[in-house]
């Protein structure tokens, strides 16, 4: 199983490689889902590929954001440049970009980002047929679901350690709607790490960091993951320090080899954790044990207790299980205090310390968050570029009166032969051949190490030491150049082009249609006399209206879609898996259609009746969709609440164990007392958070009418039938 480590910059890349990574993933300066990482220029990418390939490490480049039409050529060009620099794969979220890469650069290996939220075999089959070679499974997938994905025949990669989004990746718009920073474009501001209040009416049930998850750690489940036929175990952390990357990479290298120690576990915990680790969705059920309710930063490891306080002088005494040195970092989570250790006296395991930024309470627990000695040792692990070696074989050959030759061969069957600059002579010493082998074996400051070296000659050979050294140097340099060489299939001039549609330049001023979406079953809302073209509803509501050709059953994200799943005649979902079914289908907002090339890809499937354009697409940009395809409607949100987060974590159930809690109107309040309502779909263990606002584009109806959207979408939550009728009348 491949160990895949993050590289936010060149130093982190070296930390990963020198500590045992089999592959690294990194982002460029644009179109990276970790836009706040340092990321790589193209010159740095070239250096990174050379550094890694020389050491038998693969390089995957992330182009894993949503792409708008104005940037599609730019993103495609990034993929092409990465391809010419010899990267081993690109990781992609945007379906339109993926289709364009497959068409324009067919030899470039495609990996499906976890932002695609793949959890179902049907989704895996679709991506496999599309040309993807690997899928990074949704972090919500259980080990059983992961095994089902591997059985489709496509490579499956899983996240094994690091930060866990509380939302399905690619399905969260909380940051976008809260402050305009899109997680789907790499700018997530992480509002999920802030405190929220859980309330029922005016009663407060909880006030904590209710959406903040612990980091996941599966180091004790390696065999189960391998038995599920997972090909790659991924470490999250492109925004973490090189020391973090080194320690976690080393930890999982040992876990995979079966040599993990308790100290390794402790080092991993110290370098970063949030109130401990969880096993994520892979090996545990979503609940309180996955959450870090009290502290969203690094908790570190508990090492002792405060046993004395002098607040006037800013002095404390602590008792510690670990020997401390000046420069260690400690924290006191109860009072949200942190400091670097400054020892004024020491007596056994008792330390007198100076506190410059506040004094903790007596008897408060002390946590180590920065181990200076461990960090210094870790930094040494990647300061030597030649610490990690690649094993090779060597053969020295010599004949009377001819130049000697030295052939070196690596594990990929690359070989290079160097020749001496003078003819060999017969030596008088019986140790001459052994001395030559000894000199040839000195690989020094190179990435190579001989696992076998032999000599083929029938006499004792004499060559000056400087000639032998030059022979070795020439051979190793030649092999180095071969290993660094880039060989890719040529491609024609690349440019985005539509594959399934014929564009029309005609602008449409026709009156748009209307669609309704019900977040919940509404027994009080009879749809019979509602003037709408399509009406989307949960399964329980659909059963009452399945006779109505306007009715579509809603399949929330996380719904199971496999060979045994039977869908009704009309379905709406954000899961691309429904494209594999023979039914009328509408692709909901979570399909993330931000550009016309994604629409073009979806148009290649039968019975796609409508595509809901991304919430992140401004009204003025809808005009790109004009004349796209008369057989597919494009919907744009015109009125209603929006699901800003879709999560497998049951917020209601975590704090209210009564079965009827799922039907109760529990809600969250953010720091500004804005209300986020919770809608729960129990059959697929998914909860939606509805944003604390109602979108209202009714006053911009003329702009929308002249755009490429031919259907106006209304989301219905608590609105009455009369209110919805009034809104429809305004639209029509």
């Amino acid at each position: 199983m491949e160990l895949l480590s993050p590289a936010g910059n060149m130093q982190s890349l070296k930390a990963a490689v020198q500590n045992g990574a089999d592959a690294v993933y990194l982002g460029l300066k644009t179109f990276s889902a970790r836009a706040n990482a340092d990321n790589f220029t193209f010159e740095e990418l070239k250096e990174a590929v050379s550094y890694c390939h020389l050491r038998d490490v693969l390089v995957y480049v992330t182009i894993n954001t949503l792409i708008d039409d104005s940037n599609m050529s730019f993103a495609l060009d990034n993929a092409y440049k990465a391809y010419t620099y010899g990267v081993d794969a690109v990781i992609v979220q945007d379906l339109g970009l993926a289709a364009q890469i497959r068409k324009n650069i067919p030899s470039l290996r495609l990996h499906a980002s976890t932002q695609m939220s793949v959890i179902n075999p049907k989704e895996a089959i679709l991506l496999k047929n599309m040309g993807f070679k690997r899928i990074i499974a949704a972090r919500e997938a259980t080990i059983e679901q992961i095994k089902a994905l591997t059985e489709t025949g496509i490579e499956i990669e899983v996240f094994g350690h690091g930060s866990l989004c509380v939302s399905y990746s690619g399905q969260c718009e909380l940051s976008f709607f809260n402050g305009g920073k899109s997680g789907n474009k790499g700018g997530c501001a992480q509002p999920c790490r802030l405190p929220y209040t859980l309330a029922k009416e005016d009663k407060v049930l909880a006030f904590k960091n209710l959406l903040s998850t612990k980091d996941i750690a599966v180091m004790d489940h390696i065999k189960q993951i391998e038995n599920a036929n997972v090909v790659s175990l991924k470490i999250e952390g492109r925004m973490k320090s090189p020391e973090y990357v080194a320690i976690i990479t080393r930890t999982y290298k040992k876990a995979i080899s079966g040599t993990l120690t308790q100290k390794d576990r402790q080092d991993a915990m110290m370098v970063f954790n949030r109130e401990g680790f969880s096993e994520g969705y892979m090996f545990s059920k979503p609940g309180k044990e996955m959450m870090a309710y009290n502290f969203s930063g690094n908790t570190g490891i508990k090492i002792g207790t405060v046993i004395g306080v002098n607040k006037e002088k800013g002095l404390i005494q602590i008792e510690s299980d670990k020997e401390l040195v000046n420069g260690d970092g400690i924290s006191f989570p109860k009072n949200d205090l942190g400091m670097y250790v400054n020892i004024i006296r020491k007596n056994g395991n008792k330390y007198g310390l100076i506190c410059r930024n506040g004094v903790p309470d007596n008897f408060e627990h002390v946590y180590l968050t920065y181990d200076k000695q461990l960090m210094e040792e870790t930094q040494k692990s990647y300061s030597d570029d030649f610490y990690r070696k690649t094993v090779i074989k060597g053969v020295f050959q010599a004949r009377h009166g001819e130049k000697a030759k030295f052939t070196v061969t690596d594990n990929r069957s690359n070989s290079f032969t160097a020749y001496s600059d003078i003819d060999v002579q017969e030596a008088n010493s019986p140790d001459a051949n052994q001395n030559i082998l000894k000199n040839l074996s000195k690989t020094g400051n190179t990435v190579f190490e001989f696992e076998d070296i032999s000599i083929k000659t029938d006499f004792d050979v004499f060559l000056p030491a400087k000639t032998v050294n030059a022979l070795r140097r020439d051979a190793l340099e030649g092999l180095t150049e071969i290993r660094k060489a880039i060989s890719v299939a040529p491609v024609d001039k690349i440019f985005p082009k539509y594959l399934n549609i014929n564009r029309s330049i005609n602008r449409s001023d026709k009156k748009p249609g209307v669609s309704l979406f019900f977040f919940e079953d509404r027994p009080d809302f009879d749809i019979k006399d509602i003037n709408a073209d399509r009406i989307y509803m949960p399964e329980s509501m659909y059963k009452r209206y399945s006779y109505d050709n306007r009715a579509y059953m809603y399949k929330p994200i996380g719904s199971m879609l496999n060979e045994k799943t039977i869908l009704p005649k009309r379905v709406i979902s954000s899961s691309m898996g429904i494209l594999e079914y023979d039914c009328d289908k509408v692709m909901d907002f979570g399909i993330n259609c931000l550009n016309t090339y994604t629409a073009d890809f979806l148009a290649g499937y039968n019975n796609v009746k409508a595509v809901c354009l991304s919430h992140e697409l401004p009204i003025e940009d809808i005009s790109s969709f004009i004349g796209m395809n008369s057989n597919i409607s494009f919907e744009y949100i015109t009125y209603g609440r929006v699901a800003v987060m879709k999560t497998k974590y049951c917020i209601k159930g975590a704090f209210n164990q009564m079965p009827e809690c799922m039907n109760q109107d529990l809600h969250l309040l953010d720091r500004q007392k804005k209300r986020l309502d919770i809608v729960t779909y129990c059959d697929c263990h998914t909860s939606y958070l509805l944003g604390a606002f109602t979108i209202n584009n009714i006053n911009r109806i003329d702009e929308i009418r002249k755009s490429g959207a031919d259907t106006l979408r209304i989301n219905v939550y608590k609105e009455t039938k009369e209110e919805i009728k009034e809104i429809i009348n305004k639209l029509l």
Side-chain angles (χ1 to χ4, degrees):
M1 182 168 62
E2 172 187 273
L3 178 58
L4 175 58
S5 294
N9 53 39
M10 195 64 191
Q11 195 173 23
S12 290
L13 180 141
K14 291 182 177 182
V17 171
Q18 294 301 333
N19 282 276
D22 300 305
V24 297
Y25 65 103
L26 56 88
L28 300 171
K29 294 291 186 179
T30 52
F31 312 123
S32 167
R34 291 292 182 268
N36 293 324
D38 290 342
N39 293 317
F40 288 69
T41 65
F42 280 106
E43 281 303 308
E44 290 169 335
L45 175 63
K46 185 182 295 185
E47 179 188 355
V49 171
S50 176
Y51 185 92
C52 289
H53 284 181
L54 194 54
R55 294 161 176 82
D56 287 327
V57 175
L58 302 177
V59 179
Y60 308 144
V61 170
T62 61
I63 311 179
N64 58 341
T65 63
L66 297 184
I67 312 295
D68 54 36
D69 274 318
S70 63
N71 282 314
M72 184 58 72
S73 293
F74 188 14
L76 187 58
D77 189 55
N78 276 8
Y80 173 70
K81 286 181 180 177
Y83 170 70
T84 61
Y85 288 175
V87 304
D88 299 285
V90 290
I91 301 170
V92 177
Q93 173 190 9
D94 192 285
L95 285 170
L97 175 62
Q100 292 301 314
I101 291 174
R102 179 53 53 239
K103 179 67 176 178
N104 285 275
I105 321 170
S107 297
L108 179 55
R109 185 179 168 93
L110 278 175
H111 291 185
S113 169
T114 193
Q115 296 284 114
M116 286 189 173
S117 310
V118 176
I119 201 169
N120 285 303
K122 284 292 186 180
E123 296 159 345
I125 291 169
L126 181 141
L127 292 173
K128 181 182 177 183
N129 292 338
M130 189 179 174
F132 280 88
K133 300 300 182 183
R134 180 183 295 185
I135 292 170
I136 306 166
R139 281 174 265 207
E140 288 74 13
T142 65
I143 192 66
E144 292 79 16
Q145 289 172 322
I146 289 167
K147 192 173 190 308
L149 291 176
T150 65
E151 289 172 353
T152 65
I154 194 170
E155 292 181 6
I156 299 298
E157 174 185 310
V158 299
F159 275 94
H161 193 99
S163 294
L164 173 67
C165 292
V166 68
S167 172
Y168 276 91
S169 295
Q171 300 296 316
C172 185
E173 296 176 306
L174 184 59
S175 178
F176 173 76
F177 280 111
N178 271 19
K181 296 183 177 181
S182 169
N184 281 318
K185 291 188 175 181
C188 181
Q190 296 193 324
C192 55
R193 299 295 179 187
L194 299 174
Y196 291 85
T197 300
L198 178 66
K200 177 185 177 183
E201 297 176 350
D202 294 330
K203 181 182 178 182
V204 174
L205 303 180
F207 175 71
K208 299 181 179 183
N209 297 339
L210 297 176
L211 301 176
S212 181
T213 55
K214 295 178 181 177
D215 281 21
I216 56 173
V218 299
M219 61 189 76
D220 293 318
H221 294 280
I222 298 299
K223 287 301 179 186
Q224 290 167 270
I225 296 171
E226 288 178 331
N227 290 339
N229 297 316
V230 169
V231 301
S232 182
L233 184 68
K234 187 172 194 172
I235 297 168
E236 183 275 338
R238 282 193 285 148
M239 292 175 62
K240 298 283 179 56
S241 68
E243 293 89 348
Y244 173 92
V245 173
I247 289 171
I248 302 302
T249 299
R250 183 169 66 236
T251 298
Y252 279 84
K253 194 68 174 179
K254 288 186 174 183
I256 291 171
S257 66
T259 59
L260 190 67
T261 67
Q262 188 56 38
K263 184 181 184 305
D264 295 323
R265 292 185 179 88
Q266 188 177 54
D267 289 348
M269 182 77 77
M270 192 287 304
V271 74
F272 196 90
N273 78 89
R274 292 183 174 96
E275 300 179 32
F277 292 136
S278 83
E279 296 175 341
Y281 297 102
M282 204 183 307
F283 296 105
S284 63
K285 294 181 179 180
K288 289 184 177 181
E289 67 277 2
M290 286 180 52
M291 309 305 292
Y293 290 135
N294 301 306
F295 195 67
S296 60
N298 181 20
T299 310
I301 56 174
K302 182 181 174 183
I303 59 169
T305 307
V306 178
I307 58 174
V309 173
N310 186 328
K311 292 192 175 183
E312 289 75 18
K313 294 184 178 181
L315 302 176
I316 62 171
Q317 186 176 33
I318 69 171
E319 190 171 45
S320 173
D321 298 331
K322 182 188 181 301
E323 185 171 349
L324 299 176
V325 298
N326 287 333
D328 282 343
I330 58 175
S331 70
F332 311 92
K334 179 182 175 183
N335 284 300
D336 197 19
L337 294 174
M339 57 180 276
Y340 285 106
V341 169
N342 188 348
I343 302 171
I344 57 173
R345 64 179 179 275
K346 179 179 182 297
N347 182 12
N349 67 340
K350 296 181 175 65
Y351 295 82
L353 306 177
I354 300 174
C355 296
R356 302 188 187 280
N357 299 308
V359 177
D361 295 333
N362 210 5
F363 309 116
E364 187 172 344
H365 294 313
V366 183
Y367 288 78
L368 180 72
T369 56
Y370 184 85
D371 186 328
K372 182 181 178 183
Q373 183 178 357
L374 175 63
M375 293 299 108
E376 289 176 348
E377 291 173 354
T378 300
Q379 289 161 7
K380 291 177 183 177
S381 74
Y382 56 86
S383 61
D384 180 3
D385 285 343
F386 306 111
Y387 174 76
R388 179 171 177 167
K389 297 291 187 180
T390 297
V391 295
I392 58 174
K393 296 179 180 180
V395 178
F396 175 82
Q397 295 175 277
R399 292 182 179 180
H400 279 288
E402 296 181 5
K403 290 179 172 55
K405 61 181 181 179
F406 184 42
T407 301
V408 289
T409 305
D410 66 13
N411 55 1
R412 292 183 292 187
S413 299
N414 295 313
S415 66
F416 185 86
T417 300
Y419 295 86
S420 63
D421 57 351
I422 60 174
D423 294 341
V424 300
Q425 301 177 30
E426 188 165 353
N428 296 323
S429 170
D431 298 326
N433 289 351
Q434 288 303 313
N435 290 335
I436 287 176
L437 288 180
K438 184 177 179 180
N439 279 348
L440 290 175
S441 299
K442 296 176 181 178
T443 55
N445 287 336
T446 74
V447 300
F448 301 115
E449 182 177 71
F450 284 104
E451 66 173 352
D452 180 69
I453 188 168
S454 61
I455 187 166
K456 291 184 177 181
T457 186
D458 54 5
F459 64 98
D460 294 322
V461 176
F462 171 75
L463 278 177
K466 67 176 184 179
T467 300
V468 175
N469 291 338
L471 188 63
R472 179 195 65 237
R473 183 175 59 251
D474 291 346
L476 296 183
E477 287 178 354
L479 184 60
T480 295
E481 292 306 311
I482 291 174
R483 290 172 63 86
K484 289 166 61 176
I486 299 170
S487 177
V488 296
V491 298
D492 296 330
K493 184 177 180 180
I494 63 168
F495 57 90
K497 44 186 169 289
Y498 298 111
L499 309 176
N500 299 303
I501 59 175
N502 294 313
R503 291 298 302 264
S504 166
I505 61 173
N506 295 327
R507 179 175 293 274
S508 173
D509 291 325
K510 70 177 182 180
K511 183 178 291 187
V514 171
S515 68
L516 259 60
F517 176 89
F518 288 87
F519 282 107
E520 297 178 316
D521 190 348
R522 289 287 299 274
D524 62 315
F525 199 125
D526 190 344
I527 68 169
K528 292 178 183 178
D529 60 341
I530 292 294
N531 187 8
D533 299 274
R534 290 181 295 274
I535 305 177
Y536 314 131
M537 58 196 71
E539 183 174 1
S540 58
M541 188 172 175
Y542 177 81
K543 289 178 180 178
R544 299 197 301 274
Y545 293 105
S546 59
Y547 64 87
D548 190 327
N549 289 332
R550 302 174 303 163
Y552 284 70
M553 188 179 81
Y554 180 56
K555 296 290 286 185
I557 200 77
S559 299
M560 184 50 60
L561 297 172
N562 56 32
E563 295 300 330
K564 297 180 180 179
T565 304
I566 299 175
L567 294 184
K569 294 180 180 179
R570 298 173 299 277
V571 178
I572 176 174
S573 181
S574 292
S575 168
M576 69 185 81
I578 68 169
L579 293 169
E580 290 289 307
Y581 289 88
D582 184 19
C583 60
D584 290 350
K585 38 206 167 257
V586 173
M587 308 311 297
D588 202 19
F589 294 112
I591 201 67
N592 288 322
C593 183
L594 190 68
N595 59 69
T596 56
Y597 299 95
T598 296
D600 173 58
F601 165 75
L602 296 172
Y605 288 83
N606 294 328
N607 301 321
V608 176
K609 300 301 180 182
V611 175
C612 302
L613 302 180
S614 170
H615 296 133
E616 299 185 27
L617 187 72
I619 288 178
E620 50 270 22
D621 289 352
I622 310 175
S623 58
S624 301
F625 292 82
I626 291 175
M628 282 288 294
N629 193 319
S630 59
N631 297 321
I632 295 180
S633 293
F634 293 106
E635 299 192 2
Y636 192 78
I637 183 69
T638 307
Y639 179 89
R641 302 283 291 278
V642 170
V644 295
M645 179 183 289
K646 302 169 186 177
T647 176
K648 193 175 179 180
Y649 164 55
C650 185
I651 307 166
K652 290 183 178 181
F655 290 91
N656 191 339
Q657 299 302 316
M658 300 298 290
E660 62 271 17
C661 74
M662 300 307 165
N663 297 319
Q664 295 177 357
D665 286 334
L666 305 185
H667 60 272
L668 295 181
L669 296 173
D670 66 14
R671 294 178 301 170
Q672 284 77 41
K673 304 301 180 184
K674 295 178 181 178
R675 173 172 171 151
L676 291 84
D677 286 291
I678 306 169
V679 177
T680 301
Y681 301 98
C682 296
D683 56 337
C684 60
H685 309 289
T686 302
S687 294
Y688 285 9
L689 284 186
L690 305 188
F693 52 86
T694 297
I695 287 179
N696 190 341
N697 288 319
I698 295 174
N699 60 348
R700 302 186 68 181
I701 189 64
D702 289 338
E703 293 177 67
I704 298 174
R705 182 174 290 139
K706 294 178 181 179
S707 75
D710 56 21
T711 302
L712 307 176
R713 167 77 167 258
I714 300 172
N715 286 349
V716 183
Y717 181 47
K718 298 298 184 183
E719 291 85 356
T720 66
K721 182 176 180 178
E722 289 68 28
E723 289 171 332
I724 295 301
K725 277 189 168 183
E726 183 179 348
I727 292 169
I728 293 174
N729 289 335
K730 290 180 180 179
L731 298 181
L732 300 179

